[in-house]
Amino acid sequence: MSDAVDVSSSSATPAAGGDRRSNGCALLRLTGEIDLTGCQKLDAVLRESAGRLVLDVSEVDVFSGAAIGLLIAHAERLARLGGRLLVVAGTDAVRRNLWLAHAGDVLDVYDSVADALRAIEAGAPTGPNPDRVDDGVRRLPLHRGETFRLRRQLRTLPTVARAIGVLQERYSIGDDTAAFDVLRTSSQRYNLRLNRVAAAVLAAPAPRRPSGESWFPGRRHLPAPELPFVPDEVARAGNRSAVLDAVVAEMARRSGTGLADLQVPDVRDGQLRLERHRGLSQELVELVDTADYAGTAPAQALHRRERVAVDVTDDPAFDGSLVRAMLLAGGIRMLRSLPLLGPADRVAGVVTTHHAERVESPDPSLSDVLARMAAQTGAWLDWHQRTVVLDALEEVHRSARQR
């Protein structure tokens, strides 16, 4: 958000004569430009909201992809808190920006503040008809898989935008594109997702001297821990995706099921997010990536730091949730979650196997094998974070210093 942008807020009532104490919501109006670096200001403003928020962007001149991603991230955050984010596009130009990003498939978008307030009063779950014509172009509905991938991609944009702002300030990089290229180069060289590099930039302590030769002077490089069920060349190369694919496949095989998922805590909010899976339908993939699913067996395994098994049909964690019905419709009766523990019992992730029938506890020998695999995977992920990710940050530091 550039310096020219104005942010104004007020309270609003969904209908004339409505009770603000029960039906009221916050109204936030933005004008000007919302660019990559300005997303940090918008993020701070949105984080103050915890209920129902109508965001009027009708007078926004520049609406970057990072800003759209930020809105989606906060829409999901508010939904977890029982709130709601409604976006008022207003003009053809703004609607077209949202249309080009397919943001209307994952955001509640309305033509006017009045329409948004009426939707709150009526409890409408979605915005305008997705098939309506904008600027003479008919928007075609996305397939479920495309919408899911879009949601995940846009959810990472706020992290990338904040990291770009940090690099620009820390290394006096005047151009957004140049700072983005620094992240992208490191991402490609070390086979890491862009948002993972960006998250590491935000989480790591700043270099003692930005002009210095190294971000982490004197750091030792340790060899990768052994993973007997993963090809040596894959483990040693630090290919995180390939390693986790092998972990999920082997866990599923040894557990006697073809269905499994692996989730890792999001560095931004600690919520479990789907990282890899095996054998899941598109509907189950989308379900696993929700907070409602993660709050069941995976969350219990995460917090208890021990193996957890739940029967979907009667476990209280599923009460009042659509997750139970969706899992049962997908043929899933039981979930067995196992935390991936690194040194000092740090949880690096959670593997969950899906079973069509209720299964008793595995025999002690299989339990020992699975526990050993989880510990080995946790140790490898800890090594990866302390070695490959830090190497990627060193690349960021070197590249940024040369800008």
Side-chain angles (χ1 to χ4, degrees):
M1 193 178 300
S2 68
D3 292 338
V5 167
D6 177 64
V7 180
S8 60
S9 61
S10 63
S11 61
T13 305
D19 184 354
R20 287 188 180 185
R21 292 170 298 176
S22 59
N23 295 329
C25 64
L27 173 62
L28 183 67
R29 287 189 169 92
L30 306 179
T31 59
E33 300 179 357
I34 309 177
D35 53 24
L36 279 172
T37 55
C39 282
Q40 296 180 65
K41 179 181 177 182
L42 178 57
D43 184 36
V45 172
L46 292 179
R47 284 187 183 279
E48 297 177 359
S49 301
R52 291 176 296 184
L53 172 64
V54 175
L55 185 67
D56 186 357
V57 297
S58 302
E59 299 182 33
V60 171
D61 300 320
V62 176
F63 213 115
S64 68
I68 295 174
L70 191 64
L71 297 190
I72 290 175
H74 279 283
E76 294 182 343
R77 179 185 65 82
L78 288 173
R80 290 196 298 270
L81 296 173
R84 187 176 174 191
L85 175 65
L86 299 89
V87 178
V88 176
T91 67
D92 289 343
V94 174
R95 282 198 300 270
R96 186 167 183 81
N97 279 343
L98 296 174
W99 171 76
L100 289 172
H102 294 290
D105 291 284
V106 288
L107 286 174
D108 283 353
V109 182
Y110 296 86
D111 289 336
S112 69
V113 172
D115 287 343
L117 296 179
R118 281 194 293 268
I120 289 178
E121 182 182 26
T126 58
N129 187 333
D131 292 330
R132 60 169 223 178
V133 176
D134 283 331
D135 294 340
V137 180
R138 180 173 294 277
R139 183 178 68 189
L140 299 177
L142 293 177
H143 296 298
R144 289 176 62 90
E146 292 173 333
T147 301
F148 170 73
R149 287 190 293 274
L150 173 70
R151 184 185 295 114
R152 295 197 69 189
Q153 290 169 1
L154 293 182
R155 193 166 59 202
T156 67
L157 286 175
T159 301
V160 175
R162 287 195 290 270
I164 287 173
V166 167
L167 294 180
Q168 287 188 276
E169 180 179 359
R170 182 178 295 167
Y171 297 99
S172 299
I173 302 174
D175 182 64
D176 288 347
T177 302
F180 176 81
D181 285 342
V182 168
L183 295 175
R184 183 175 58 184
T185 298
S186 178
S187 168
Q188 293 172 346
R189 179 171 181 179
Y190 289 95
N191 197 24
L192 293 168
R193 291 179 180 175
L194 183 69
N195 68 293
R196 190 167 295 280
V197 177
V201 168
L202 297 176
R208 292 182 181 178
R209 291 190 304 115
S211 60
E213 292 292 326
S214 175
W215 190 330
F216 307 99
R219 180 170 62 94
R220 293 178 57 198
H221 277 71
L222 299 175
E226 290 187 2
L227 288 175
F229 48 92
V230 176
D232 287 344
E233 61 274 15
V234 173
R236 288 197 302 268
N239 190 328
R240 189 173 185 274
S241 296
V243 166
L244 296 185
D245 278 336
V247 170
V248 173
E250 187 67 7
M251 287 280 194
R253 185 185 72 82
R254 289 185 177 273
S255 298
T257 177
L259 307 178
D261 69 78
L262 190 152
Q263 296 175 291
V264 297
D266 192 307
V267 295
R268 297 172 303 163
D269 56 17
Q271 293 285 335
L272 286 171
R273 299 291 186 187
L274 177 64
E275 184 79 9
R276 316 299 294 178
H277 76 89
R278 183 174 181 83
L280 300 185
S281 66
Q282 185 60 48
E283 289 78 10
L284 286 177
V285 168
E286 294 187 28
L287 176 66
V288 167
D289 200 45
T290 65
D292 285 344
Y293 170 88
T296 60
Q300 294 178 40
L302 176 71
H303 297 304
R304 295 184 195 173
R305 288 170 165 72
E306 63 183 21
R307 183 186 295 108
V308 170
V310 299
D311 189 326
V312 174
T313 61
D314 59 17
D315 192 275
F318 296 97
D319 289 347
S321 171
L322 290 176
V323 175
R324 171 180 283 150
M326 294 179 69
L327 286 173
L328 293 174
I332 307 302
R333 166 73 184 274
M334 173 163 274
L335 302 177
R336 303 186 71 89
S337 295
L338 184 63
L340 307 176
L341 299 178
D345 275 351
R346 286 189 295 270
V347 180
V350 178
V351 173
T352 300
T353 54
H354 302 226
H355 304 267
E357 299 178 356
R358 183 179 179 90
V359 293
E360 301 302 326
S361 299
D363 62 76
S365 61
L366 177 56
S367 293
D368 290 342
V369 170
L370 296 176
R372 185 162 56 251
M373 290 175 58
Q376 291 167 336
T377 304
W380 188 91
L381 286 171
D382 186 79
W383 166 84
H384 184 272
Q385 182 67 32
R386 295 171 179 271
T387 303
V388 179
V389 173
L390 295 190
D391 285 345
L393 291 183
E394 288 287 11
E395 175 65 26
V396 167
H397 181 69
R398 287 192 295 270
S399 180
R401 288 176 56 239
Q402 297 171 3
R403 298 287 170 169

